[in-house]
Amino acid sequence: MMASKLLLQRRLFRFLQLSPYSLCSFSSSSSIHGSPFHSVKATEISSLSTSSRNFCSQKSNLVDQFHGPAPIDYSSLLQEGDFHRLAESTIHNLQEKFEDYGDSIDLDGFDIDYGNDVLTVKLGELGTYVLNKQTPNRQLWLSSPLSGPSRFDWDQDTKAWIYRRNKAKLYKILEDELEQLCGKTIVLS
């Protein structure tokens, strides 16, 4: 019986989009409006539990899901102007190299498009690469038909865009994958 009351409370909390902390702050005369229940008094919600006082004063695993993500340390990020300069230089350099590469291979459906800070390289039936800037977090995002999505940060030490999960460099990933897909070597660096 107690387990079904707890399950009902959880469902009601999710439905009303309230955390357990917000229920603790209701006075006994408070009501929750805007739900299909027309008006539900906080005393009615707390009566679902045998001890609403203990429910509110004890830390629950449910509470953890209401905390936001950990803060980001923005001090390690590039200044916005530096990011735009590096990202645009990288994207334009890649665009030129891809255009030359496209001229050197025989591939139906090969096409390159650049607009709105997004570089798209279509390889016909082999797939499509998309590279774009993500200014708020100072990253370049790559969508690859082989390796999927990757997010690259500028590394001051190596002077390269690095995928932090595996320390792979953007240019190396593209060189390896394009050679694998198209059968011809490309040098991007």
Side-chain angles (χ1 to χ4, degrees), residues 70-96:
I72 297 171
D73 177 16
Y74 288 101
S75 63
S76 65
L77 297 177
L78 292 167
Q79 293 297 317
E80 188 170 343
D82 293 336
F83 167 74
H84 284 296
R85 181 180 50 77
L86 286 165
E88 289 169 10
S89 173
T90 300
I91 290 172
H92 289 287
N93 180 47
L94 286 172
Q95 181 182 6
E96 289 178 14

Side-chain angles (χ1 to χ4, degrees), residues 11 17 20 22 28 32 45 52 58 70 73 82 84 88 99 101-103 107 128 148 151 154 164-165 167 176:
R11 288 181 179 166
Q17 298 181 5
S22 64
S28 61
I32 303 166
I45 293 172
S52 64
Q58 292 178 349
D73 177 16
D82 293 336
H84 284 296
E88 289 169 10
E99 287 171 353
Y101 186 68
D103 292 340
L107 182 65
T128 300
R151 298 174 180 188
W154 180 254
R164 297 278 178 213
R165 287 190 179 174
K167 306 292 184 202
D176 291 347

